[in-house]
Amino acid sequence: MSFNLVQAYARAPMVFERGEGSWLFDTQGEKWLDAGAGIAVNVLGHADPRLVRVLTEQAGRLWHTSNLYRIAEQERLAQALTERTFAASVFFTNSGTEACEAAVKMARRYWHIKGSPERNEIITLNASFHGRSLGMISAAGGEKLIDGFSPLLPGFRRVDANDSDAVAEAVDANTAAIMVEPVLGEGGILPLEDWYLAGLRELCDRTGCLLILDEIQCGMGRTGKLFAHEWTGIEPDIMAIAKGIGGGFPLGACLAKAHAAEGISPGTHGSTYGGNPLACRIGREVLDIVAEPEFLADVREKAGRLRQRLEAVVATRPDIFTEIRGSGLMLGLVCKVPGSDVIEAGYRRNLLTVPASGNVVRILPPLTATPDELDEVCLRLDSAAAEIEAGSHA
Ligand SMILES: *Cc1c(COP(=O)(O)O)cnc(C)c1O
């Protein structure tokens, strides 16, 4: 442990020095199976040769110029993103938090230029997560997120997920937008129901509110569609993405329909690094690979098999697990024992998984994980559960 780092994280002790596909190698020479993918980031696994090639080529050509000038790679990635989504335009950021911030600022400016600046309130969900800036902890409002950081920003109102009456009641003359994750990630892999998302779209259409989706964790192929909302057939007005789009390189984006982006005119928002050539070149490569219909079909097929096998693990270990939930390769094992016990027993089997709220263990493998590797995840999880069972009977 390093005392020269601000102690913001409770870190596990291993130090990884190399990765290849779904595997990581630590400084002790141990080989680890990665079912966390850097929290849904490494969608193509580690050291994907295609990404290594475009990164090194771009690194030898141009890293950064600034948004004072046109950036060809940024324009190319924006075109690729808009061709494949509901969006007409894109604002690039370095992180998910910034993408959500851009989305909220865009929604407020939309009403500002419409002459209704009082419409500035954003409705969000309890148990949601949109990042760690003051704005986004104020938006999500979770106890752990906000503790000690007052005063928070006003202008957010929260309701429970999958409760259409609650959200309909919360909308009033001051509402600018509703912002939700189609599958709540940090909150414990809680999928929003199709009818609920469709209801949000209708509510927004009826009231003029903008619908903002945070697909930072559930987007980029994670659920087996390029974006999770495609399962329901609805379209948002604004969408925040990050994590998977960079494949491990810091990159985020705020995508918008034409009307939604109208308030953002020159000088109203910006970023020094956002959309730099290096990040955007990598993002374009990731998108080209992940958006291929065969790639997404393969994710859905593997996800179906993984789900079945995990159901079997849950069924055979009822003292440890209560349920498996989620979508595609974004799954949550709801635990009866502390989730951290399961994660640590996984570490003893060189398996990496990710915690979430509500005693949930997240399974977020690279989208390129092979069926054999996913079977191995299940075997190691079952063995981890068996160890805990044995311990609790001792
Ligand atoms: C990770 C995450 C964020 C924050 O992204 P950062 O890159 O850490 O700023 C926001 N929303 C969701 C849903 C996330 O999963």
Side-chain angles (χ1 to χ4, degrees):
M1 173 153 88
S2 167
F3 292 102
N4 305 119
L5 293 170
V6 170
Q7 299 296 299
Y9 305 100
R11 298 174 196 268
M14 45 288 187
V15 180
F16 300 113
E17 59 179 8
R18 189 168 69 80
E20 199 184 316
S22 304
W23 301 89
L24 282 164
F25 300 84
D26 72 16
T27 47
Q28 312 287 315
E30 293 280 326
K31 183 180 177 185
W32 296 73
L33 178 53
D34 186 3
I39 319 186
V41 167
N42 304 94
V43 287
L44 302 182
H46 300 279
D48 182 282
R50 297 161 291 190
L51 296 191
V52 172
R53 186 176 49 78
V54 297
L55 181 142
T56 45
E57 275 175 14
Q58 187 62 40
R61 194 176 300 136
L62 188 67
W63 294 17
H64 175 83
T65 52
S66 119
N67 287 303
L68 291 168
Y69 318 107
R70 286 181 60 183
I71 299 173
E73 280 304 336
Q74 192 181 119
E75 293 178 12
R76 285 190 196 110
L77 178 55
Q79 187 184 344
L81 280 168
T82 52
E83 276 170 7
R84 294 188 157 105
T85 63
F86 68 93
S89 62
V90 185
F91 179 88
F92 288 104
T93 69
N94 312 290
S95 70
T97 306
E98 292 167 87
C100 289
E101 287 274 348
V104 167
K105 287 182 74 175
M106 188 180 277
R108 293 214 173 129
R109 279 286 299 185
Y110 170 85
W111 288 110
H112 175 83
I113 63 155
K114 277 195 145 206
S116 304
E118 75 287 354
R119 287 194 76 161
N120 53 40
E121 201 168 73
I122 315 289
I123 297 174
T124 63
L125 297 180
N126 289 317
S128 62
F129 182 78
H130 300 293
R132 297 284 195 151
S133 64
L134 281 169
M136 291 308 106
I137 65 171
S138 304
E143 209 60 52
K144 280 193 196 143
L145 292 174
I146 64 173
D147 186 38
F149 294 116
S150 292
L152 299 179
L153 269 65
F156 298 97
R157 178 188 292 205
R158 276 170 301 282
V159 294
D160 283 341
N162 289 325
D163 183 340
S164 10
D165 292 341
V167 69
E169 270 168 46
V171 170
D172 64 20
N174 297 322
T175 310
I178 301 171
M179 176 165 75
V180 302
E181 301 158 74
V183 183
L184 281 75
E186 304 299 310
I189 312 290
L190 291 163
L192 296 184
E193 304 287 350
D194 286 351
W195 52 260
Y196 178 75
L197 266 177
L200 290 185
R201 180 68 268 172
E202 276 170 36
L203 179 61
C204 287
D205 290 342
R206 196 162 66 242
T207 56
C209 296
L210 299 176
L211 180 60
I212 303 173
L213 296 183
D214 177 348
E215 292 227 17
I216 289 164
Q217 193 163 146
C218 63
M220 283 309 289
R222 184 63 41 202
T223 67
K225 297 266 191 190
L226 185 56
F227 292 105
H229 68 266
E230 294 172 23
W231 287 106
T232 59
I234 62 139
E235 289 183 345
D237 301 288
I238 301 174
M239 177 170 74
I241 66 172
K243 294 202 165 97
I245 180 69
F249 199 89
L251 173 63
C254 175
L255 286 68
K257 288 200 171 186
H259 67 278
E262 270 169 13
I264 303 294
S265 48
T268 54
H269 193 44
S271 167
T272 296
Y273 296 118
N276 76 56
L278 198 49
C280 288
R281 179 66 192 89
I282 296 163
R284 181 156 62 89
E285 196 69 15
V286 174
L287 183 66
D288 279 350
I289 295 167
V290 172
E292 275 301 313
E294 304 82 57
F295 184 95
L296 292 168
D298 180 55
V299 170
R300 291 193 291 273
E301 194 178 314
K302 289 184 301 197
R305 175 187 168 115
L306 173 64
R307 176 82 177 222
Q308 255 183 357
R309 304 209 164 200
L310 285 175
E311 301 270 12
V313 172
V314 169
T316 50
R317 307 283 175 200
D319 294 340
I320 309 297
F321 303 116
T322 52
E323 173 193 9
I324 172 108
R325 66 187 178 210
S327 175
L329 292 177
M330 183 176 186
L331 297 172
L333 279 163
V334 188
C335 301
K336 271 191 191 151
V337 297
S340 55
D341 288 1
V342 175
I343 289 169
E344 276 161 30
Y347 288 161
R348 290 192 282 279
R349 286 154 183 80
N350 287 12
L351 172 70
L352 302 177
T353 57
V354 179
S357 304
N359 258 355
V360 172
V361 174
R362 271 181 283 180
I363 316 288
L364 306 162
L367 304 183
T368 50
T370 65
D372 284 349
E373 287 165 349
L374 296 174
D375 287 353
E376 185 62 28
V377 171
C378 298
L379 287 176
R380 292 187 191 195
L381 267 172
D382 186 61
S383 164
E387 177 198 310
I388 300 168
E389 264 180 10
S392 64
H393 292 313

